[in-house]
Amino acid sequence: MARNLITLITRDHRELEKMFGPLGRAPEKRERLVREVAARFVAHGNAAEEYLYPVAEHEAGETDGVRGCAAEHHKAEEILERLSATDCGSPLFDDRLHELVDVVRRHVRQEEDEILPALAKAVSTERLEELGAAFDRMRQEEVRRILSAGKAPLTRDELYEQAEKMGIEGRSHMNREELAESLQRRKG
Ligand SMILES: [Fe+2]
């Protein structure tokens, strides 16, 4: 049961939702958490596009639901990209975080209320376990790939360290975006 596609996707959703609370409450952890949420969510979406959506569409007749879910996934990815580039202490960060939470909630509701029940009816337990194993493997590989590819932006501390090495003046008064900009200018 542990590797059933439905239980794995549902568990993934609960884990993502659990990260939203600290993201709103603990500003000092935001940079690390945004990076982690982004990696997990993109990995979840990529694995769903490979192992959930095609099966839900072709074997459970969930064409419209799948389209809606995939669209919400892409919208959430765009917001996450913008959130990663937003200064953690700014009010804009909170606005974008709310926007993200809304989109993810809609996505979760649609997937869990519509797509997964349809899939449970249409597909055998054995097949759900096979799909689950493949989904889980891809999801874990994707998280590793995304985090190690540096696709997630550097934190302020990491940028500060680079600025220190390059002797950028005024670095201690700069926020994350200003540090990134100065480094970019210096690197030419
Ligand atoms: Fe999902």
Side-chain angles (χ1 to χ4, degrees):
M1 265 316 263
R3 298 203 135 196
N4 176 321
L5 181 64
I6 294 174
T7 48
L8 283 168
I9 286 181
T10 313
R11 192 185 69 186
D12 238 12
H13 289 162
R14 294 296 86 78
E15 280 176 8
L16 277 163
E17 285 165 351
K18 250 192 255 161
M19 293 170 85
F20 287 141
L23 202 49
R25 281 193 307 270
E28 73 286 357
K29 291 186 187 149
R30 280 179 167 175
E31 288 188 14
R32 187 182 55 80
L33 282 169
V34 168
R35 192 192 282 203
E36 212 178 314
V37 169
R40 277 174 182 244
F41 191 78
V42 173
H44 170 87
N46 290 352
E49 268 171 33
E50 195 69 28
Y51 296 106
L52 169 64
Y53 299 154
V55 182
E57 191 175 344
H58 302 301
E59 294 174 43
E62 278 294 314
T63 310
D64 290 345
V66 161
R67 263 185 218 141
C69 263
E72 300 283 19
H73 251 295
H74 292 141
K75 217 184 280 169
E77 280 178 26
E78 277 169 26
I79 301 170
L80 267 164
E81 238 169 74
R82 274 185 275 138
L83 195 64
S84 305
T86 307
D87 186 9
C88 295
S90 77
L92 195 59
F93 187 94
D94 292 298
D95 293 347
R96 286 181 174 162
L97 181 60
H98 285 148
E99 215 185 320
L100 177 72
V101 172
D102 279 352
V103 174
V104 172
R105 278 212 183 113
R106 271 204 304 274
H107 157 83
V108 165
R109 221 174 297 138
Q110 191 166 24
E111 227 164 63
E112 291 187 15
D113 293 353
E114 218 179 285
I115 306 233
L116 297 182
L119 195 72
K121 268 191 217 150
V123 175
S124 73
T125 313
E126 201 183 35
R127 180 136 160 77
L128 282 177
E129 281 174 9
E130 274 170 24
L131 288 164
F135 172 89
D136 204 33
R137 214 176 307 123
M138 180 169 171
R139 190 188 63 83
Q140 288 183 37
E141 276 166 18
E142 285 286 283
V143 170
R144 268 196 298 274
R145 181 186 66 78
I146 294 163
L147 288 175
S148 67
K151 232 185 142 190
L154 296 178
T155 65
R156 185 191 176 274
D157 287 350
E158 287 163 338
L159 290 169
Y160 182 85
E161 221 173 273
Q162 286 190 10
E164 197 169 27
K165 276 187 202 143
M166 293 178 89
I168 290 175
E169 282 180 28
R171 60 185 176 269
S172 50
H173 303 295
M174 293 181 190
N175 63 24
R176 197 193 152 273
E177 275 148 19
E178 289 161 346
L179 281 167
E181 230 168 76
S182 305
L183 282 163
Q184 204 68 43
R185 269 204 305 274
R186 182 64 70 86
K187 286 174 187 165

